[in-house]
Amino acid sequence: MEEKLNSLLERRKVHYNSYELRIVNNSSEPNEAAWEIQQKLGKFHVAETSGDYNVIIKRNSLNLAGEMLKERNLSGSMVVVADSNVGPLYADVLQRSLLDAGFNARTIILPAGEQNKTLETVSALWYDFLQMGLDRKSTIIALGGGVTGDLAGFAASTFMRGIAWVGIPTSLLAMADSSMGGKTGFDLSNGKNLVGSFHSPKLVLADPDLLSTLPQAEFRSGLGEVVKHGIIADSKLFELCSNGEDSIQTNLDEIVRRAMAVKIHFIEADPFEKGIRAALNYGHTVGHAVELASGFHLRHGEAVAIGMVVEARIAEQLSIAANGLSRQIAHALAGIGLPIKIPSDLSKEAILQAMKVDKKKQAGKVLFSLPVKIGEVKTSIELVNLNMVFTED
Ligand SMILES: NC(=O)c1ccc[n+]([C@@H]2O[C@H](COP(=O)([O-])OP(=O)(O)OC[C@H]3O[C@@H](n4cnc5c(N)ncnc54)[C@H](O)[C@@H]3O)[C@@H](O)[C@H]2O)c1
């Protein structure tokens, strides 16, 4: 039998080798093979509680968006929502693609920046939608970073009790993280993301070419989350991010695909955020606190980078991880230009206070997700002595 198979394989070798995509799968689990194929193709099907949708990662695909939406049987008016940085760069290409595919398409430009992630901006969107005559069949397309996605997604989730939306993430953070999972919302003066809803998009289309115009500091900050995805679930992704910025640019396509795959994996494993999805919080318990204590002078990804090193050190001290892990992580992050130490001018008291009020505090406990090794994380670990955060290497 084996002989027969080998000779068959030999005869068909040239034919098989002519395929652009080949996978060697030694697992008997069909799900694992399907997962590998999705990851290599950059095409995922995501099943979420508030709806199923596809995630497509494809270079030079913004001008194909219209055809892709037509294929998904979306009809009615399309409104592109973009911020004042992204709009001038990409809204025309997208609108042209929508018009060419036969849609009625218009664009709304929002003021850029987290400070505009407010109810006032959402309300302005609702009124614009009304003025444009949108109805329940219309579709909103969020073209931008996480701020645009959260705002446009929330406006879509509430307008006329919910209309369709599509995410076209343009920042690395939006690609790796915020565009998937269906979370939408805005900030209140008391804190970030305090009002929101779950409303799954109909499609997420990520074009890594759009990252070429992303300011470098934003790109680096987004890499913080990408490295985190590597540490919690994909050692190859971590390795791809460990050899500095040039290597990251060379492998950007694969990095985006792998980072998005990790987020999808956790969304599907835990749609209601009751358990394992907490793995995505690695680096965030300390990260959020440091971000807050810095008065948001540190970018989110920078604060998370510091948080990942500190939390890996805690994992070592608790013997959850072997010694050396925090150094390995710090080395990779420093190679990207991300900070790896809590700035000495930040108040320890403010950091401790922020950790205690962190939303992941449950029943009076401060819970951590800590790495076991690169590619594996453990969730719901209670840290009784919060001062361990300040132990130096
Ligand atoms: N919904 C979720 O699940 C989720 C998850 C994580 C974060 N978030 C939210 O995401 C937001 C952060 O996202 P972000 O970092 O993308 O912020 P952002 O949307 O403000 O984008 C960062 C900056 O980059 C600019 N920009 C984006 N793409 C660009 C491009 N291709 N070329 C040039 N400039 C570009 C933007 O105009 C902005 O100035 C926060 O509000 C956070 O709360 C949401």
Side-chain angles (χ1 to χ4, degrees), residues 83 85 114 117 145-147 150 170-171 173 178 183 193 210 213:
D83 76 14
N85 296 325
E114 183 76 33
K117 207 174 109 177
V147 169
D150 280 5
T170 62
S171 70
L173 180 126
S178 65
K183 284 204 228 168
N193 301 320
L210 307 190
T213 52

Side-chain angles (χ1 to χ4, degrees), residues 186-214:
F186 59 89
D187 304 335
L188 295 179
S189 54
N190 314 52
K192 279 179 62 166
N193 301 320
L194 288 177
V195 182
S197 65
F198 278 94
H199 187 51
S200 298
K202 294 289 174 203
L203 171 73
V204 173
L205 173 62
D207 177 352
D209 283 346
L210 307 190
L211 297 173
S212 63
T213 52
L214 187 67

Side-chain angles (χ1 to χ4, degrees), residues 48-105:
E48 249 176 40
T49 42
S50 58
D52 288 19
Y53 56 98
N54 283 352
V55 173
I56 297 178
I57 303 136
K58 191 174 166 64
R59 284 212 116 122
N60 197 13
S61 60
L62 188 60
N63 57 353
L64 306 175
E67 283 305 320
M68 289 189 192
L69 297 189
K70 211 157 90 180
E71 278 165 22
R72 278 164 183 80
N73 295 326
L74 288 166
S75 57
S77 301
M78 301 274 160
V79 171
V80 176
V81 177
D83 76 14
S84 46
N85 296 325
V86 174
L89 293 168
Y90 301 115
D92 275 357
V93 178
L94 177 56
Q95 189 163 330
R96 168 71 21 225
S97 151
L98 294 166
L99 292 171
D100 288 349
F103 292 112
N104 170 12

Side-chain angles (χ1 to χ4, degrees), residues 140-366:
I140 306 302
I141 306 179
L143 172 71
V147 169
T148 303
D150 280 5
L151 285 167
F154 183 77
S157 85
T158 41
F159 186 73
M160 298 201 168
R161 297 198 176 83
I163 62 174
W165 76 289
V166 164
I168 303 191
T170 62
S171 70
L172 187 55
L173 180 126
M175 289 185 194
D177 191 358
S178 65
S179 62
M180 299 159 294
K183 284 204 228 168
T184 74
F186 59 89
D187 304 335
L188 295 179
S189 54
N190 314 52
K192 279 179 62 166
N193 301 320
L194 288 177
V195 182
S197 65
F198 278 94
H199 187 51
S200 298
K202 294 289 174 203
L203 171 73
V204 173
L205 173 62
D207 177 352
D209 283 346
L210 307 190
L211 297 173
S212 63
T213 52
L214 187 67
Q216 203 184 18
E218 296 294 345
F219 185 77
R220 273 196 194 133
S221 177
L223 276 176
E225 293 286 349
V226 171
V227 171
K228 180 201 75 184
H229 286 189
I231 297 169
I232 63 173
D234 183 350
S235 56
K236 174 81 196 294
L237 174 59
F238 178 79
E239 193 190 310
L240 287 171
C241 297
S242 295
N243 302 314
E245 290 191 67
D246 287 351
S247 151
I248 288 171
Q249 286 301 341
T250 313
N251 295 297
L252 194 54
D253 241 22
E254 185 175 355
I255 287 174
V256 171
R257 271 187 276 123
R258 284 183 172 272
M260 292 180 86
V262 170
K263 172 91 188 218
I264 293 166
H265 167 76
F266 283 108
I267 294 168
E268 293 207 312
D270 181 17
F272 292 107
E273 285 197 281
K274 297 265 187 253
I276 190 68
R277 193 153 155 185
L280 293 163
N281 291 334
Y282 163 52
H284 282 64
T285 309
V286 173
H288 276 147
V290 169
E291 190 181 9
L292 197 67
S294 78
F296 292 93
H297 283 299
L298 282 168
R299 283 189 159 75
H300 180 69
E302 292 170 338
V304 169
I306 295 169
M308 287 193 285
V309 177
V310 171
E311 293 183 15
R313 201 176 299 131
I314 294 172
E316 289 169 2
Q317 285 166 337
L318 298 178
S319 299
I320 288 169
N323 280 338
L325 184 69
S326 64
R327 277 205 189 164
Q328 189 184 0
I329 291 170
H331 184 260
L333 293 169
I336 296 167
L338 283 166
I340 52 173
K341 280 191 168 143
I342 298 176
S344 54
D345 58 339
L346 293 192
S347 144
K348 284 188 181 177
E349 204 38 55
I351 294 171
L352 287 173
Q353 204 48 41
M355 273 195 297
K356 285 180 195 153
V357 295
D358 189 280
K359 64 183 172 189
K360 281 167 283 299
K361 187 182 116 182
Q362 290 172 12
K365 297 173 184 169
V366 183

Side-chain angles (χ1 to χ4, degrees), residues 231 282 311-312 315 320-321 325 329 369-373 376-378:
I231 297 169
Y282 163 52
E311 293 183 15
I320 288 169
L325 184 69
I329 291 170
S369 296
L370 298 178
V372 176
K373 59 180 187 189
E376 192 183 331
V377 71
K378 214 169 166 180

